Amino acid sequence: MGDGVVGISDLDKRVLQPVWDAMRSHGDLLASPLAPALSALLFHLVLCAPFLALDALGCVCPRVRAHTIPERPVLRQWRETFWRMLGSYAVGVAPLTAALQYLRTPRLPWLAPTCWRLCVDVLLCLFVFDTLFFIWHFTMHRSRWLYQHVHQAHHQYHRIPIALAAQDASAPELVSLLLLALGSSWLLGCHPLSEVAFHLLNTWLAVEDHCGYDLPWGLHRLLPRLGAGAPHHQLHHSLQKGNYAPYFTHWDRLWGTEIR
């Protein structure tokens, strides 16, 4: 390229660098033992807030109810779910992430990934996580002991969908899902910024799975026959079987566990 002309590949390399530099400048904060658990909890609550508003608005607005999966929760269910989730974080997620922060000090490279590399990393992480989740979820439903002692808490109150329920589970289950998500990005050797992007998208998709709304931009509408989405996962909660994969439908189709 001539002087003063920036090629597409050069721009791709530079566009994420300011974001990564800003994150690296707060390295001490990122290394805090409580940072991962607190940031995950806060981001989850932020994503759930619009659905709390929609549930409240749906009580008086028919237009909102038109997009709901039948049966809406009373608002008291949000409060009860919040306190259960907070307890699981306190006894499970926070201690685990603090220990991992102590044992694994992440190396922060100087350069950010390219946009292409980040997108590929995130997509691969989603497919790996979806596979691991399918295996683990299927196993918890097939094992009576695992279902009763690990997974049943997630099903106990949520035949009626609620966004906050994405992380309303027993402490052992929340810890296991955290390890699956972390293991997916570690297995692929992702750049730390790609890890962050994957965890943020993973959180949103989990919230969307449990939100109780058939949204026009839901994964099942963006990726017909490949994306799962809220209606697909709500069938799992209603019947307490089938549709074990969280985000994509290919594993359930291959193993004959898909319910439509």
Side-chain angles (χ1 to χ4, degrees), residues 158-247:
H158 298 300
R159 289 179 184 272
I160 300 174
I162 174 176
L164 207 58
Q167 295 193 23
D168 182 18
S170 67
E173 181 169 5
L174 273 186
V175 166
S176 69
L177 297 182
L178 174 62
L179 291 174
L180 292 185
L182 291 173
S184 299
S185 57
W186 294 349
L187 182 66
L188 295 170
C190 295
H191 188 284
L193 187 57
S194 298
E195 286 190 50
V196 171
F198 160 63
H199 291 306
L200 295 180
L201 181 57
N202 192 32
T203 302
W204 160 250
L205 291 174
V207 168
E208 197 265 326
D209 257 5
H210 293 84
C211 72
Y213 289 86
D214 190 355
L215 300 171
W217 57 85
L219 192 63
H220 61 297
R221 296 191 182 277
L222 296 176
L223 299 172
R225 289 297 293 160
L226 178 61
H232 187 268
H233 192 67
Q234 181 52 31
L235 279 173
H236 171 77
H237 275 270
S238 297
L239 303 174
Q240 300 204 29
K241 64 178 182 179
N243 295 357
Y244 297 111
Y247 306 142

Side-chain angles (χ1 to χ4, degrees), residues 50-219:
F51 295 108
L52 173 58
L54 283 175
D55 279 353
L57 189 61
C59 297
V60 295
C61 181
R63 182 170 294 183
V64 172
R65 289 198 296 272
H67 292 283
T68 63
I69 296 172
E71 289 190 283
R72 298 309 305 139
V74 294
L75 296 182
R76 183 180 68 251
Q77 186 177 341
W78 279 83
R79 183 176 66 250
E80 295 170 350
T81 301
F82 171 77
W83 288 114
R84 285 195 305 270
M85 184 183 67
L86 201 62
S88 294
Y89 259 80
V91 302
V93 175
L96 174 66
T97 54
L100 291 175
Q101 282 286 81
Y102 178 77
L103 295 173
R104 175 186 178 260
T105 302
R107 182 181 63 84
L108 302 180
W110 287 99
L111 296 177
T114 64
C115 292
W116 170 254
R117 183 70 259 170
L118 183 139
C119 292
V120 170
D121 284 347
V122 170
L123 185 60
L124 289 176
C125 281
L126 283 177
F127 274 100
V128 171
F129 177 80
D130 189 78
T131 300
L132 296 176
F133 187 103
F134 172 83
I135 295 169
W136 178 229
H137 195 189
F138 181 86
T139 301
M140 286 192 291
H141 274 267
R142 286 294 187 267
S143 166
R144 179 177 297 180
W145 189 92
L146 284 174
Y147 184 84
Q148 290 178 346
H149 293 87
V150 179
H151 191 51
Q152 189 173 27
H154 183 62
H155 278 277
Q156 190 170 359
Y157 304 99
H158 298 300
R159 289 179 184 272
I160 300 174
I162 174 176
L164 207 58
Q167 295 193 23
D168 182 18
S170 67
E173 181 169 5
L174 273 186
V175 166
S176 69
L177 297 182
L178 174 62
L179 291 174
L180 292 185
L182 291 173
S184 299
S185 57
W186 294 349
L187 182 66
L188 295 170
C190 295
H191 188 284
L193 187 57
S194 298
E195 286 190 50
V196 171
F198 160 63
H199 291 306
L200 295 180
L201 181 57
N202 192 32
T203 302
W204 160 250
L205 291 174
V207 168
E208 197 265 326
D209 257 5
H210 293 84
C211 72
Y213 289 86
D214 190 355
L215 300 171
W217 57 85
L219 192 63

